[in-house]
Amino acid sequence: MNHVDSKFINLLSPKLQKFKRVKPNLYNFRCPICGDSKKNKSKTRGYLYSVKADVNFKCHNCGTSMTFSNFLKQLDPVIHKQYVFERFKEGKTGRSTVVEEPKFEFQSPKFKKKLDLPKASEHPRSEGYLLARKVDPSKFYYAEKFKSFVNTLKPTFDDVENDEERIIIPLYYQNDLIGLQGRSLGLSKVKYITIMINDDAPKIYGLDNIRTDAPVYVTEGPFDSTFIRNSIAMCGADADISKWGISNPVWIYDNEPRNREILSRISKTIDSGEKVVIWPSGIDEKNINDMVMSGLDVQSVIESNTYSGLEAKLKFTTWKKI
């Protein structure tokens, strides 16, 4: 492995969860393409490894395989341009390499303004599922063949033979469609699949529909956010949302006091000095959607159980023992 590849693998490593160097010319981490495993956060099935003069990426979960150059381009286009230029300077653009010579023209990215799909309210299965959950079906879309549809926006899936229907949750930023989530309607190993058309855009649902001069409620899922005023949903791990203009967030995590990951995230939120909702005793439902279905006035519960600082720590300590 040449020093340019090693340098840029190290530059990329902060974006790769559980990144580690297994041995010379072999690196392991959680796959950022498929998320690796939502149930087991210790799974690391993504690898970077040497092949002759080049480096390849391979995920042993989703099967994605590509050159390091293409992998870097997907995760960080800015660093990728630097990588291409340095490879060019080193003369690494000839035989036995896949890195293209740098091109010095610029074209503004073009994104779709809307989805060319029927609304979820126009299809019996998707409408029935959402109405049963008391979710407004007019806010979402329906794709009969999810993988095939995604490939029309961004080449993503090599195998579309076992395609499936999904509810489509659109992600917009500044009125442009920058990504989407597909929610399974039937039995599926992967309940949610997130696809980003613009890799630099925020993985956030509802960002274009909030007032940033007021408290912004941050939920764990898009469906949950539809029941709360001025709210967004994180469609990935918690991130720095201040760069998207949100200066007064209120974080709402699921009501799972035995979930170690949720405990860790709440603890970090409290330590950062931000506001967090600590669910009161007597509520058995795990998420906002289930609470709404049980007849709770969730907005009132949230507003009366929002804490920060020392009070949040005390409430959190009690909640963990429920």
Side-chain angles (χ1 to χ4, degrees), residues 123-196:
H123 188 272
R125 272 178 55 76
S126 57
E127 181 184 45
Y129 172 83
L130 292 171
L131 288 177
R133 302 291 305 177
K134 295 191 175 182
V135 177
D136 183 357
S138 68
K139 294 179 180 291
F140 305 102
Y141 295 82
Y142 170 79
E144 183 178 7
K145 295 183 177 181
F146 174 73
K147 293 180 180 179
S148 299
F149 169 70
V150 167
N151 282 349
T152 66
L153 301 176
K154 176 183 179 180
T156 304
F157 299 100
D158 294 329
D159 181 11
V160 297
E161 185 175 345
N162 298 315
D163 217 337
E164 60 182 348
E165 60 179 348
R166 284 181 179 263
I167 293 171
I168 303 299
I169 302 165
L171 308 182
Y172 289 100
Y173 180 57
Q174 296 180 342
N175 296 317
D176 284 324
L177 179 72
I178 46 86
L180 58 88
Q181 272 195 331
R183 206 288 182 195
S184 62
L185 274 170
L187 296 175
S188 176
K189 293 181 180 179
V190 184
K191 188 179 293 185
Y192 287 93
I193 298 177
T194 303
I195 304 294
M196 297 305 295

Coordinates of all heavy atoms in Angstrom, one line a residue, residues 123-196:
H123 N -52.1 4.3 -2.1 CA -51.9 2.9 -2.2 C -52.5 2.2 -1.0 O -52.2 2.6 0.2 CB -50.4 2.5 -2.4 CG -50.2 1.1 -2.7 ND1 -50.0 0.2 -1.7 CD2 -50.1 0.5 -3.9 CE1 -49.9 -1.0 -2.3 NE2 -49.9 -0.9 -3.6
P124 N -53.3 1.2 -1.2 CA -54.0 0.6 0.0 C -53.1 0.1 1.1 O -53.4 0.3 2.3 CB -54.8 -0.5 -0.7 CG -55.0 -0.1 -2.1 CD -53.8 0.6 -2.4
R125 N -52.1 -0.6 0.7 CA -51.2 -1.2 1.8 C -50.5 -0.2 2.6 O -50.4 -0.2 3.8 CB -50.2 -2.2 1.1 CG -50.8 -3.6 1.0 CD -49.9 -4.6 0.4 NE -48.6 -4.7 1.0 CZ -48.3 -5.4 2.1 NH1 -49.3 -6.0 2.7 NH2 -47.1 -5.5 2.6
S126 N -49.9 0.8 1.9 CA -49.1 1.8 2.6 C -50.1 2.7 3.4 O -49.8 3.1 4.5 CB -48.3 2.6 1.6 OG -49.1 3.2 0.6
E127 N -51.2 3.0 2.8 CA -52.2 3.9 3.5 C -52.7 3.2 4.8 O -52.8 3.7 5.8 CB -53.3 4.3 2.6 CG -54.3 5.2 3.3 CD -55.5 5.5 2.4 OE1 -56.1 4.6 1.8 OE2 -55.9 6.7 2.4
G128 N -53.0 1.9 4.6 CA -53.6 1.1 5.7 C -52.6 1.0 6.8 O -52.9 1.1 8.0
Y129 N -51.3 0.7 6.5 CA -50.3 0.6 7.5 C -50.1 1.9 8.3 O -50.1 1.9 9.6 CB -48.9 0.2 6.9 CG -47.8 0.3 7.9 CD1 -47.5 -0.8 8.7 CD2 -47.0 1.4 8.0 CE1 -46.5 -0.8 9.7 CE2 -46.0 1.5 9.0 CZ -45.7 0.4 9.8 OH -44.7 0.4 10.7
L130 N -50.0 3.0 7.6 CA -49.8 4.3 8.3 C -51.1 4.7 9.1 O -50.9 5.3 10.2 CB -49.5 5.4 7.2 CG -48.1 5.2 6.6 CD1 -47.9 6.2 5.4 CD2 -47.0 5.3 7.6
L131 N -52.2 4.6 8.5 CA -53.4 4.9 9.3 C -53.6 4.1 10.5 O -54.1 4.6 11.6 CB -54.7 4.8 8.4 CG -54.9 5.8 7.3 CD1 -56.1 5.5 6.4 CD2 -55.0 7.2 7.8
A132 N -53.2 2.8 10.5 CA -53.2 2.0 11.6 C -52.3 2.5 12.7 O -52.5 2.3 13.9 CB -52.9 0.5 11.3
R133 N -51.2 3.2 12.3 CA -50.3 3.8 13.3 C -50.7 5.2 13.6 O -49.9 5.9 14.3 CB -48.9 3.7 12.7 CG -48.3 2.4 12.3 CD -48.1 1.5 13.5 NE -47.1 2.1 14.4 CZ -46.8 1.5 15.6 NH1 -47.3 0.3 15.9 NH2 -46.0 2.1 16.4
K134 N -51.8 5.7 13.1 CA -52.2 7.1 13.2 C -51.3 8.1 12.6 O -51.2 9.2 13.1 CB -52.5 7.4 14.7 CG -53.6 6.6 15.3 CD -54.0 7.1 16.7 CE -55.3 6.4 17.2 NZ -55.7 6.9 18.5
V135 N -50.5 7.6 11.6 CA -49.6 8.5 10.9 C -50.2 9.0 9.7 O -50.9 8.3 9.0 CB -48.3 7.7 10.5 CG1 -47.3 8.6 9.8 CG2 -47.6 7.2 11.8
D136 N -50.0 10.3 9.3 CA -50.6 10.9 8.2 C -50.0 10.4 6.9 O -48.8 10.7 6.6 CB -50.4 12.4 8.2 CG -51.1 13.2 7.1 OD1 -51.7 12.5 6.2 OD2 -51.1 14.4 7.1
P137 N -50.7 9.6 6.1 CA -50.1 9.0 4.9 C -49.8 10.0 3.8 O -49.0 9.7 2.9 CB -51.2 8.0 4.4 CG -52.5 8.5 5.0 CD -52.1 9.2 6.3
S138 N -50.4 11.2 3.8 CA -50.1 12.2 2.8 C -48.7 12.8 2.9 O -48.3 13.4 2.0 CB -51.2 13.3 2.9 OG -51.0 14.1 4.1
K139 N -48.0 12.5 4.0 CA -46.7 13.1 4.2 C -45.6 12.2 3.5 O -44.4 12.6 3.4 CB -46.3 13.2 5.7 CG -47.2 14.3 6.4 CD -46.8 14.3 7.8 CE -47.6 15.4 8.6 NZ -47.3 16.7 8.2
F140 N -46.0 10.9 3.1 CA -45.0 10.0 2.6 C -45.4 9.4 1.3 O -46.5 9.7 0.7 CB -44.9 8.9 3.7 CG -44.5 9.4 5.0 CD1 -45.5 9.5 6.0 CD2 -43.2 9.8 5.3 CE1 -45.2 10.0 7.3 CE2 -42.9 10.3 6.6 CZ -43.9 10.4 7.5
Y141 N -44.5 8.6 0.7 CA -44.7 8.1 -0.6 C -44.7 6.5 -0.6 O -44.4 5.9 0.4 CB -43.7 8.6 -1.6 CG -43.8 10.1 -1.8 CD1 -43.2 11.0 -0.9 CD2 -44.4 10.6 -2.9 CE1 -43.2 12.4 -1.1 CE2 -44.5 12.0 -3.1 CZ -43.9 12.9 -2.2 OH -44.0 14.2 -2.4
Y142 N -44.9 5.9 -1.8 CA -44.9 4.5 -1.9 C -44.2 4.1 -3.1 O -44.4 4.6 -4.2 CB -46.4 3.9 -2.0 CG -46.5 2.5 -2.3 CD1 -46.2 1.5 -1.4 CD2 -46.7 2.1 -3.6 CE1 -46.3 0.2 -1.7 CE2 -46.8 0.7 -4.0 CZ -46.6 -0.2 -3.0 OH -46.7 -1.6 -3.3
A143 N -43.2 3.1 -2.9 CA -42.5 2.5 -4.1 C -42.8 1.0 -4.1 O -42.5 0.3 -3.1 CB -41.0 2.8 -3.9
E144 N -43.3 0.6 -5.2 CA -43.6 -0.9 -5.3 C -42.3 -1.7 -5.4 O -42.2 -2.8 -4.9 CB -44.4 -1.1 -6.6 CG -44.8 -2.6 -6.8 CD -45.7 -2.8 -8.0 OE1 -45.9 -1.8 -8.8 OE2 -46.2 -3.9 -8.1
K145 N -41.3 -1.1 -6.1 CA -40.0 -1.8 -6.2 C -38.9 -0.8 -5.7 O -38.4 0.1 -6.5 CB -39.7 -2.2 -7.6 CG -40.7 -3.3 -8.1 CD -40.4 -3.8 -9.5 CE -41.3 -4.9 -9.9 NZ -41.0 -5.4 -11.3
F146 N -38.6 -0.9 -4.5 CA -37.7 0.1 -3.8 C -36.3 0.2 -4.5 O -35.9 1.3 -4.8 CB -37.6 -0.3 -2.3 CG -36.6 0.6 -1.6 CD1 -36.9 1.9 -1.3 CD2 -35.3 0.1 -1.2 CE1 -36.0 2.7 -0.6 CE2 -34.4 0.9 -0.5 CZ -34.8 2.2 -0.2
K147 N -35.6 -0.9 -4.6 CA -34.3 -0.9 -5.2 C -34.2 -0.3 -6.6 O -33.3 0.5 -6.9 CB -33.7 -2.3 -5.1 CG -33.4 -2.8 -3.7 CD -32.8 -4.2 -3.8 CE -32.6 -4.8 -2.4 NZ -32.0 -6.2 -2.5
S148 N -35.2 -0.7 -7.4 CA -35.2 -0.3 -8.8 C -35.5 1.2 -8.8 O -34.9 2.0 -9.6 CB -36.3 -1.0 -9.6 OG -36.1 -2.4 -9.6
F149 N -36.3 1.7 -7.9 CA -36.6 3.2 -7.9 C -35.4 3.9 -7.4 O -35.0 4.9 -8.0 CB -37.8 3.5 -6.9 CG -37.9 4.9 -6.6 CD1 -38.3 5.8 -7.6 CD2 -37.5 5.4 -5.4 CE1 -38.4 7.2 -7.3 CE2 -37.6 6.8 -5.1 CZ -38.1 7.7 -6.1
V150 N -34.7 3.4 -6.4 CA -33.5 4.1 -5.9 C -32.4 4.2 -7.0 O -31.8 5.3 -7.1 CB -32.9 3.4 -4.6 CG1 -31.5 3.9 -4.3 CG2 -33.8 3.6 -3.4
N151 N -32.3 3.2 -7.8 CA -31.3 3.2 -8.8 C -31.6 4.2 -9.9 O -30.7 4.6 -10.6 CB -31.2 1.8 -9.5 CG -30.4 0.8 -8.7 OD1 -29.7 1.2 -7.7 ND2 -30.5 -0.4 -9.0
T152 N -32.8 4.7 -10.0 CA -33.1 5.8 -10.9 C -32.6 7.1 -10.4 O -32.4 8.1 -11.2 CB -34.6 5.9 -11.2 OG1 -35.3 6.3 -10.0 CG2 -35.2 4.6 -11.7
L153 N -32.4 7.2 -9.1 CA -31.9 8.5 -8.5 C -30.4 8.4 -8.3 O -29.7 9.4 -8.5 CB -32.5 8.7 -7.1 CG -34.1 8.8 -7.0 CD1 -34.5 8.9 -5.6 CD2 -34.5 10.0 -7.8
K154 N -29.9 7.2 -7.9 CA -28.5 7.0 -7.7 C -28.1 5.6 -7.8 O -28.7 4.7 -7.1 CB -28.1 7.6 -6.3 CG -26.7 7.3 -5.8 CD -26.5 7.8 -4.4 CE -25.1 7.6 -3.9 NZ -24.9 8.0 -2.5
P155 N -27.2 5.2 -8.7 CA -26.9 3.7 -8.8 C -26.4 3.2 -7.5 O -25.4 3.6 -7.0 CB -25.8 3.8 -9.9 CG -26.0 5.0 -10.7 CD -26.5 6.0 -9.7
T156 N -27.2 2.3 -6.9 CA -26.9 1.8 -5.5 C -26.9 0.3 -5.4 O -26.0 -0.3 -4.9 CB -27.9 2.4 -4.5 OG1 -27.9 3.8 -4.6 CG2 -27.6 2.0 -3.1
F157 N -27.9 -0.3 -6.0 CA -28.1 -1.8 -5.9 C -27.7 -2.5 -7.2 O -28.3 -2.2 -8.2 CB -29.5 -2.1 -5.5 CG -30.0 -1.5 -4.2 CD1 -30.7 -0.3 -4.2 CD2 -29.6 -2.1 -3.0 CE1 -31.1 0.3 -3.0 CE2 -30.0 -1.5 -1.8 CZ -30.8 -0.3 -1.8
D158 N -26.8 -3.5 -7.1 CA -26.4 -4.3 -8.2 C -27.4 -5.3 -8.5 O -27.7 -5.7 -9.6 CB -25.0 -4.9 -8.0 CG -23.9 -3.9 -7.9 OD1 -24.0 -2.9 -8.6 OD2 -22.9 -4.2 -7.2
D159 N -28.0 -5.9 -7.4 CA -29.0 -7.0 -7.5 C -30.4 -6.4 -7.2 O -30.6 -6.1 -6.0 CB -28.6 -8.1 -6.6 CG -29.6 -9.3 -6.7 OD1 -30.4 -9.3 -7.6 OD2 -29.5 -10.2 -5.8
V160 N -31.3 -6.4 -8.1 CA -32.6 -5.9 -7.9 C -33.7 -7.1 -8.1 O -34.9 -6.8 -8.1 CB -33.0 -4.7 -8.8 CG1 -32.1 -3.5 -8.5 CG2 -32.9 -5.1 -10.2
E161 N -33.1 -8.3 -8.1 CA -34.0 -9.5 -8.4 C -35.0 -9.6 -7.3 O -36.2 -9.8 -7.5 CB -33.2 -10.7 -8.6 CG -34.0 -11.9 -9.0 CD -33.2 -13.2 -9.2 OE1 -31.9 -13.0 -9.4 OE2 -33.7 -14.3 -9.3
N162 N -34.6 -9.6 -6.0 CA -35.5 -9.7 -4.9 C -35.9 -8.4 -4.4 O -35.6 -8.0 -3.2 CB -34.8 -10.6 -3.8 CG -34.5 -12.0 -4.3 OD1 -35.3 -12.6 -4.9 ND2 -33.3 -12.4 -4.0
D163 N -36.6 -7.6 -5.2 CA -37.0 -6.2 -4.8 C -38.2 -6.3 -3.9 O -38.9 -7.4 -3.8 CB -37.3 -5.4 -6.1 CG -36.8 -4.0 -5.9 OD1 -36.7 -3.5 -4.8 OD2 -36.6 -3.3 -6.9
E164 N -38.5 -5.2 -3.3 CA -39.7 -5.2 -2.4 C -40.3 -3.8 -2.3 O -39.7 -2.8 -2.6 CB -39.2 -5.6 -1.0 CG -38.1 -4.7 -0.4 CD -37.6 -5.1 1.0 OE1 -38.3 -6.0 1.6 OE2 -36.6 -4.6 1.5
E165 N -41.5 -3.8 -1.9 CA -42.2 -2.5 -1.7 C -41.8 -1.9 -0.4 O -41.6 -2.6 0.6 CB -43.8 -2.8 -1.7 CG -44.3 -3.7 -0.6 CD -45.8 -3.9 -0.7 OE1 -46.4 -3.1 -1.4 OE2 -46.3 -4.8 0.0
R166 N -41.8 -0.6 -0.4 CA -41.5 0.2 0.9 C -42.2 1.5 0.9 O -42.5 2.1 -0.2 CB -40.0 0.4 1.0 CG -39.2 -0.8 1.4 CD -37.7 -0.5 1.6 NE -37.0 -1.7 2.0 CZ -36.7 -2.0 3.3 NH1 -37.0 -1.1 4.2 NH2 -36.1 -3.1 3.6
I167 N -42.4 2.0 2.1 CA -42.9 3.4 2.2 C -41.7 4.3 2.1 O -40.6 4.0 2.7 CB -43.6 3.6 3.6 CG1 -44.9 2.8 3.7 CG2 -43.8 5.1 3.9 CD1 -45.5 2.7 5.1
I168 N -41.8 5.4 1.4 CA -40.7 6.3 1.1 C -40.8 7.5 2.0 O -41.8 8.2 1.9 CB -40.6 6.7 -0.4 CG1 -40.5 5.4 -1.2 CG2 -39.4 7.6 -0.6 CD1 -39.2 4.6 -0.9
I169 N -39.8 7.8 2.8 CA -39.7 9.0 3.6 C -38.7 9.9 3.0 O -37.5 9.7 3.0 CB -39.3 8.6 5.1 CG1 -40.2 7.5 5.7 CG2 -39.1 9.8 6.0 CD1 -39.7 6.8 6.9
P170 N -39.2 11.0 2.4 CA -38.2 11.9 1.7 C -37.5 12.8 2.7 O -38.0 13.3 3.7 CB -39.2 12.8 0.8 CG -40.5 12.8 1.6 CD -40.6 11.5 2.4
L171 N -36.2 13.1 2.4 CA -35.4 14.0 3.1 C -35.1 15.2 2.2 O -34.5 15.1 1.1 CB -34.1 13.4 3.5 CG -34.1 12.0 4.2 CD1 -32.7 11.6 4.6 CD2 -35.0 12.1 5.5
Y172 N -35.5 16.4 2.6 CA -35.3 17.6 1.9 C -34.4 18.6 2.6 O -34.4 18.7 3.8 CB -36.7 18.3 1.6 CG -37.6 17.6 0.6 CD1 -38.6 16.8 1.1 CD2 -37.4 17.7 -0.7 CE1 -39.5 16.1 0.2 CE2 -38.2 17.1 -1.6 CZ -39.3 16.3 -1.2 OH -40.1 15.6 -2.0
Y173 N -33.7 19.3 1.8 CA -32.9 20.5 2.4 C -32.9 21.6 1.4 O -32.5 21.4 0.2 CB -31.5 20.0 2.7 CG -30.6 21.1 3.3 CD1 -31.0 21.8 4.5 CD2 -29.4 21.5 2.7 CE1 -30.2 22.8 5.1 CE2 -28.7 22.5 3.3 CZ -29.1 23.2 4.4 OH -28.3 24.2 5.0
Q174 N -33.3 22.8 1.8 CA -33.5 23.9 1.0 C -34.2 23.6 -0.3 O -33.9 24.0 -1.4 CB -32.1 24.5 0.6 CG -31.3 25.0 1.8 CD -29.9 25.5 1.5 OE1 -29.4 25.2 0.4 NE2 -29.3 26.3 2.4
N175 N -35.3 22.9 -0.1 CA -36.3 22.5 -1.1 C -35.8 21.5 -2.1 O -36.5 21.2 -3.1 CB -36.8 23.7 -1.8 CG -37.6 24.7 -0.9 OD1 -38.4 24.2 -0.1 ND2 -37.4 25.9 -1.0
D176 N -34.6 20.9 -1.9 CA -34.1 19.9 -2.8 C -34.2 18.5 -2.1 O -34.0 18.4 -0.9 CB -32.6 20.2 -3.1 CG -32.5 21.3 -4.1 OD1 -33.3 21.4 -5.0 OD2 -31.5 22.0 -4.0
L177 N -34.5 17.5 -2.9 CA -34.5 16.1 -2.4 C -33.1 15.7 -2.3 O -32.4 15.5 -3.3 CB -35.3 15.2 -3.3 CG -35.3 13.7 -2.9 CD1 -36.2 13.5 -1.7 CD2 -35.8 12.9 -4.0
I178 N -32.6 15.5 -1.0 CA -31.1 15.1 -0.9 C -31.0 13.7 -0.4 O -29.8 13.2 -0.2 CB -30.4 16.1 0.1 CG1 -31.3 16.4 1.4 CG2 -30.2 17.4 -0.6 CD1 -31.1 15.4 2.5
G179 N -32.1 13.0 -0.1 CA -32.0 11.6 0.3 C -33.4 11.1 0.7 O -34.4 11.8 0.5
L180 N -33.4 9.8 1.1 CA -34.7 9.2 1.5 C -34.5 8.0 2.4 O -33.4 7.4 2.4 CB -35.5 8.8 0.2 CG -34.8 7.9 -0.8 CD1 -35.1 6.4 -0.4 CD2 -35.3 8.1 -2.2
Q181 N -35.5 7.6 3.1 CA -35.5 6.4 3.8 C -36.6 5.5 3.2 O -37.7 6.0 2.9 CB -35.8 6.6 5.3 CG -34.6 6.9 6.1 CD -34.8 6.7 7.6 OE1 -35.9 6.9 8.1 NE2 -33.8 6.4 8.4
G182 N -36.3 4.2 3.2 CA -37.4 3.2 2.8 C -37.7 2.4 4.0 O -36.9 1.7 4.6
R183 N -39.0 2.4 4.3 CA -39.5 1.6 5.5 C -40.3 0.4 4.9 O -41.2 0.5 4.1 CB -40.5 2.5 6.3 CG -40.6 2.1 7.8 CD -41.4 0.9 8.0 NE -41.5 0.6 9.4 CZ -41.9 -0.6 9.9 NH1 -42.2 -1.6 9.1 NH2 -42.0 -0.8 11.2
S184 N -39.8 -0.8 5.4 CA -40.4 -2.0 4.9 C -41.9 -2.1 5.3 O -42.3 -1.7 6.4 CB -39.7 -3.2 5.4 OG -39.7 -3.3 6.8
L185 N -42.7 -2.7 4.4 CA -44.1 -3.0 4.7 C -44.3 -4.4 5.1 O -45.3 -4.7 5.9 CB -44.9 -2.7 3.5 CG -45.4 -1.2 3.3 CD1 -46.0 -1.0 1.9 CD2 -46.4 -0.8 4.4
G186 N -43.5 -5.3 4.7 CA -43.6 -6.7 5.1 C -42.4 -7.1 6.0 O -41.8 -6.3 6.6
L187 N -42.3 -8.5 6.1 CA -41.2 -9.0 6.9 C -39.8 -8.7 6.1 O -39.7 -9.1 5.0 CB -41.4 -10.5 7.1 CG -42.6 -10.9 7.9 CD1 -42.7 -12.4 8.0 CD2 -42.5 -10.3 9.3
S188 N -38.9 -8.1 6.8 CA -37.7 -7.8 6.2 C -36.6 -7.7 7.2 O -36.8 -7.3 8.4 CB -37.7 -6.4 5.5 OG -36.5 -6.0 4.9
K189 N -35.4 -8.2 6.9 CA -34.3 -8.2 7.8 C -33.9 -6.7 8.1 O -33.4 -6.5 9.2 CB -33.1 -8.9 7.2 CG -33.3 -10.4 7.1 CD -32.0 -11.1 6.5 CE -32.2 -12.6 6.4 NZ -31.1 -13.3 5.8
V190 N -34.1 -5.8 7.2 CA -33.7 -4.4 7.4 C -35.0 -3.6 7.3 O -35.6 -3.4 6.3 CB -32.7 -3.9 6.3 CG1 -32.3 -2.5 6.6 CG2 -31.5 -4.9 6.2
K191 N -35.4 -3.1 8.5 CA -36.6 -2.3 8.6 C -36.5 -1.0 7.8 O -37.4 -0.6 7.1 CB -37.0 -2.1 10.0 CG -38.4 -1.4 10.2 CD -38.8 -1.3 11.7 CE -38.9 -2.6 12.4 NZ -39.4 -2.4 13.8
Y192 N -35.4 -0.3 8.0 CA -35.2 1.0 7.4 C -33.9 1.0 6.5 O -32.9 0.5 7.0 CB -35.1 2.2 8.4 CG -36.4 2.5 9.1 CD1 -36.7 1.9 10.3 CD2 -37.2 3.5 8.5 CE1 -37.9 2.3 10.9 CE2 -38.4 3.8 9.2 CZ -38.7 3.2 10.4 OH -39.9 3.6 11.0
I193 N -34.0 1.5 5.3 CA -32.8 1.7 4.5 C -32.7 3.2 4.1 O -33.6 3.8 3.6 CB -32.9 0.9 3.2 CG1 -32.9 -0.6 3.5 CG2 -31.7 1.2 2.3 CD1 -33.1 -1.5 2.3
T194 N -31.5 3.8 4.5 CA -31.3 5.2 4.2 C -30.4 5.4 3.0 O -29.3 4.8 2.9 CB -30.7 5.9 5.4 OG1 -31.5 5.8 6.5 CG2 -30.5 7.4 5.1
I195 N -30.9 6.2 2.0 CA -30.1 6.5 0.8 C -29.9 8.0 0.7 O -30.9 8.7 0.7 CB -30.8 6.0 -0.5 CG1 -31.2 4.5 -0.4 CG2 -30.0 6.3 -1.7 CD1 -30.0 3.6 -0.3
M196 N -28.6 8.4 0.6 CA -28.3 9.8 0.5 C -27.9 10.1 -1.0 O -27.0 9.5 -1.5 CB -27.2 10.3 1.4 CG -27.6 10.1 2.9 SD -29.1 10.9 3.4 CE -28.7 12.7 3.1

